[in-house]
Amino acid sequence: MLVETSWVTKTPGVCGGDACVRDTRYTISGLVEWKRLGLTDERILEHHPDLSEADLQTAWEYYATHRDEIDEAIRENAEA
């Protein structure tokens, strides 16, 4: 039996419990903000070699299915 583990983690006390890629401190909301600022996947990976193309694809897919959650995290971050 194949056990599927999530590529997205939410850990209390880490990045405010926001959704992060793997066990990193890269939040999905932060990656989405970079994308909105016009950064391409290639540019993000160039400056953050600890991320992979699969990490970014997972982030974009998570955002597509959890848009309200991520947009709220972006709003809260902007207000902080």
Side-chain angles (χ1 to χ4, degrees):
M1 182 174 158
L2 177 64
V3 177
E4 190 173 318
T5 57
S6 177
W7 206 288
V8 175
T9 60
K10 294 181 184 179
T11 306
V14 176
C15 298
D18 288 346
C20 294
V21 174
R22 287 184 282 120
D23 292 321
T24 70
R25 290 182 164 270
Y26 290 105
T27 62
I28 305 296
S29 59
L31 294 170
V32 168
E33 285 187 278
W34 288 348
K35 192 81 156 172
R36 287 180 179 174
L37 290 171
L39 275 72
T40 63
D41 288 5
E42 293 77 20
R43 182 80 172 171
I44 294 169
L45 294 173
E46 178 183 321
H47 289 279
H48 301 279
D50 50 330
L51 288 172
S52 69
E53 288 181 31
D55 292 331
L56 296 183
Q57 186 60 39
T58 297
W60 312 148
E61 289 171 3
Y62 188 88
Y63 179 58
T65 58
H66 297 83
R67 192 171 298 268
D68 291 342
E69 170 193 336
I70 300 305
D71 287 343
E72 178 64 23
I74 290 170
R75 274 191 297 280
E76 288 175 1
N77 187 47
E79 294 171 0

